[in-house]
Amino acid sequence: MKVSRVPPAGKIRHPYSRRILANLEGKDPQKVFASGPSALKRSIAGLTSAQMRRRPGPGKWPIAYLVHHICDAEVGLAFRMRLALAESGSRFSAFDQDLWAAGLHYDRRSVADSLTLYTVLRKSHLEFLKLARRGDLQKFGIHEERGRETVERLVHMLAGHDLNHRRQITAIRVRLLRR
């Protein structure tokens, strides 16, 4: 089943959703979603572990943290998508990315392992889209901060989230390689 294009960002009420979904304007969200793992691999190719762990500034996440966060967002999507497809109308919990970074030891985790997990989960999510029947993409959960989110909106959000963080990785990479 094909996901639709994202509505114009100005029509999206929730500020975070509007910011993330604006990344998809003029783009095919399903293609962006499908290309996530390969694009992330390309964005970090050739960087050393030390480079990926170097903070770009005080209080700023290094590339390694961004990779772990992208992976963990995919883990969140894995549960939310399955919950919406199997038990439409269920509640989705929000999560605090800084608590996840600390509690899940972003400072010590393997970037390669996070990239592998992200890739496997994304493949699974693409299979769900391929197998979806009419109406499956409109099944939903209730996010505690953003309200009703359909399976289709979850795909949109993660595709926009990918673009957001890959842009950050690219900016950090450019600064690292200028040194």
Side-chain angles (χ1 to χ4, degrees):
M1 179 102 339
K2 182 94 170 117
V3 299
S4 67
R5 297 255 179 197
V6 175
K11 294 187 178 199
I12 299 167
R13 283 187 225 147
H14 189 272
Y16 174 75
S17 297
R18 185 172 45 249
R19 183 173 65 81
I20 292 300
L21 295 174
N23 293 315
L24 293 171
E25 286 186 16
K27 295 176 178 66
D28 178 334
Q30 196 153 343
K31 285 183 181 175
V32 172
F33 190 73
S35 70
S38 60
L40 182 57
K41 284 176 192 170
R42 283 191 308 275
S43 74
I44 64 171
L47 294 176
T48 67
S49 179
Q51 287 172 318
M52 286 193 281
R53 295 192 181 288
R54 189 172 301 139
R55 287 188 179 269
K60 300 289 184 185
W61 279 6
I63 289 172
Y65 279 40
L66 292 167
V67 173
H68 300 315
H69 172 69
I70 290 167
C71 173
D72 288 340
E74 198 73 20
V75 169
L77 173 68
F79 185 70
R80 289 174 182 167
M81 184 180 279
R82 285 162 175 77
L83 196 57
L85 287 167
E87 302 178 45
S88 189
S90 295
R91 298 262 174 221
F92 295 160
S93 296
F95 68 91
D96 182 316
Q97 66 183 20
D98 293 316
L99 292 177
W100 280 48
L104 299 177
H105 307 289
Y106 282 15
D107 59 330
R108 297 184 309 196
R109 278 174 54 190
S110 162
V111 169
D113 287 350
S114 286
L115 190 55
T116 298
L117 179 56
Y118 167 62
T119 301
V120 169
L121 287 172
R122 183 59 60 94
K123 181 179 177 193
S124 172
H125 299 138
L126 289 165
E127 182 180 28
F128 285 154
L129 294 178
K130 182 179 175 185
L131 298 173
R133 295 182 182 149
R134 186 180 310 275
D136 282 351
L137 297 183
Q138 296 313 306
K139 290 182 176 181
F140 67 95
I142 308 297
H143 190 283
E144 68 181 320
E145 295 172 349
R146 298 188 297 262
R148 182 184 174 110
E149 289 189 330
T150 64
V151 169
E152 182 170 65
R153 176 54 63 89
L154 291 171
V155 170
H156 290 162
M157 290 294 289
L158 263 288
H161 184 262
D162 285 355
L163 290 176
N164 180 64
H165 291 305
R166 284 202 318 265
R167 204 170 306 142
Q168 289 175 317
I169 288 169
T170 299
I172 295 167
R173 180 187 181 105
V174 166
R175 288 194 300 271
L176 281 172
L177 297 179
R178 273 196 219 143
R179 291 180 178 191

